């Protein structure tokens, strides 16, 4: 009986040890994955911080660099950066400043009225839109293999508190993960801050020109 009891204790200890090692490996893998995501986001935020600083005196160049690097960094297929234009109070709209991998001629309007379509709705509601099922007619990705409907669409408002500055639209063959959406939203705040500074600088120069 004693020998059987000792074997039972030893067997139970070995099972517990194996489970502990298995859990430790799972915990380590989880920590490693979380560290990689943090590093990915930190490196990305630093990179876009540099892009925004280097191009804060030219809106078109700023938009080109931001959207191209964003599409590449997220491994998306195409993207567009829209800026809010309220120069004409009768026609407040979003204007496409830069598009990367878009077939603009066939599928894309350069101007979108507030509240019109998904981009216009995003600007009015100031909330991120993430679609996992996209209507066939909405948008198509042009690739070397021909044209295909993207799997996922992400539209993030460019906003600072209650002020809207534009929107970013990204399309991909793969679904956007939560950490990627969070990353684009953080980038959006930085872009909005830069756009706010650029707009204020342009207005100041215009006022100086008028006074002279």
């Amino acid at each position: 009986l004693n020998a059987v009891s000792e074997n039972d204790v030893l067997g139970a200890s070995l099972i517990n040890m194996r489970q502990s090692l298995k859990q430790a490996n799972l915990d380590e893998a989880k920590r490693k994955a979380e560290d990689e995501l943090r590093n990915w986001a930190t490196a990305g935020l630093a990179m876009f911080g540099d892009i925004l600083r280097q191009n804060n005196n030219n809106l078109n160049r700023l938009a080109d660099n931001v959207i191209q690097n964003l599409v590449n960094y997220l491994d998306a297929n195409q993207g567009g950066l829209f800026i809010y234009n309220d120069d004409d109070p009768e026609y407040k709209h979003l204007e496409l400043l830069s598009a990367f991998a878009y077939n603009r001629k066939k599928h894309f309007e350069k101007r979108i009225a507030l509240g019109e379509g998904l981009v216009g709705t995003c600007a009015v509601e100031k909330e991120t839109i993430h679609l996992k099922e996209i209507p066939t007619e909405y948008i198509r990705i042009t690739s070397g293999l021909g044209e295909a409907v993207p799997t996922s669409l992400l539209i993030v408002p460019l906003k600072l508190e209650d002020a809207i500055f534009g929107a970013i639209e990204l399309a991909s063959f793969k679904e956007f993960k939560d950490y990627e959406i969070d990353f684009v939203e953080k980038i959006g705040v930085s872009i909005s801050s830069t756009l706010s500074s650029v707009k204020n600088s342009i207005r100041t120069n215009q006022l100086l020109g008028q006074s002279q």
Side-chain angles (χ1 to χ4, degrees):
L1 282 170
N2 286 340
V4 172
S5 297
E6 286 174 8
N7 285 338
D8 286 348
V9 171
L10 181 62
S13 296
L14 286 170
I15 288 169
N16 286 336
M17 189 186 296
R18 193 165 62 197
Q19 287 175 338
S20 295
L21 285 169
K22 189 178 179 182
Q23 189 58 50
N25 286 336
L26 287 172
D27 291 343
E28 179 61 27
K30 186 181 176 185
R31 269 195 299 273
K32 191 176 178 183
E34 288 172 349
D35 285 344
E36 284 175 358
L37 289 184
R38 264 194 297 274
N39 293 339
W40 176 86
T42 302
L45 289 169
M47 181 181 80
F48 283 98
D50 287 341
I51 290 168
L52 291 169
R53 275 191 296 276
Q54 291 164 11
N55 299 282
N56 61 12
N57 59 350
N58 185 311
L59 278 182
N60 290 94
R61 194 165 64 230
L62 174 81
D64 285 343
N65 279 319
V66 165
I67 206 64
Q68 289 188 25
N69 280 284
L70 199 51
V71 166
N72 289 332
Y73 203 69
L74 291 169
D75 195 24
N77 297 83
Q78 57 191 32
L81 191 152
F82 297 82
I83 189 170
Y84 177 54
N85 188 326
D86 59 354
D87 292 342
D88 179 359
E90 296 298 314
Y91 180 52
K92 295 177 181 179
H93 62 279
L94 292 152
E95 191 171 336
L96 182 66
L97 267 195
S98 181
F100 185 62
Y102 265 122
N103 187 343
R104 280 183 284 171
K105 194 174 182 181
K106 189 174 178 186
H107 300 295
F108 228 69
E109 290 297 325
K110 289 272 287 187
R111 293 186 173 193
I112 296 174
L114 282 188
E116 179 190 345
L118 292 174
V119 174
T121 300
C122 173
V124 169
E125 296 182 355
K126 298 170 189 168
E127 295 289 338
T128 295
I129 294 173
H130 181 209
L131 284 189
K132 298 175 188 178
E133 290 183 14
I134 303 168
T136 307
E137 69 278 3
Y138 181 71
I139 196 172
R140 300 184 80 83
I141 291 174
T142 304
S143 69
L145 300 173
E147 290 190 339
V149 179
T151 304
S152 193
L153 187 75
L154 180 66
I155 306 171
V156 173
L158 299 177
K159 62 179 182 177
L160 274 181
E161 295 175 357
D162 282 336
I164 189 74
F165 289 90
I168 284 176
E169 183 177 30
L170 296 162
S172 180
F173 284 131
K174 63 181 180 63
E175 194 175 304
F176 290 103
K177 303 289 191 297
D178 288 343
Y179 71 87
E180 292 175 319
I181 295 171
D182 181 60
F183 176 76
V184 179
E185 288 175 339
K186 284 177 180 171
I187 295 292
V189 174
S190 299
I191 295 169
S192 300
S193 180
T194 302
L195 288 175
S196 177
S197 299
V198 172
K199 276 193 163 186
N200 288 336
S201 175
I202 289 169
R203 282 199 189 102
T204 302
N205 289 336
Q206 285 173 342
L207 289 171
L208 283 171
Q210 287 168 6
S211 65
Q212 288 170 358

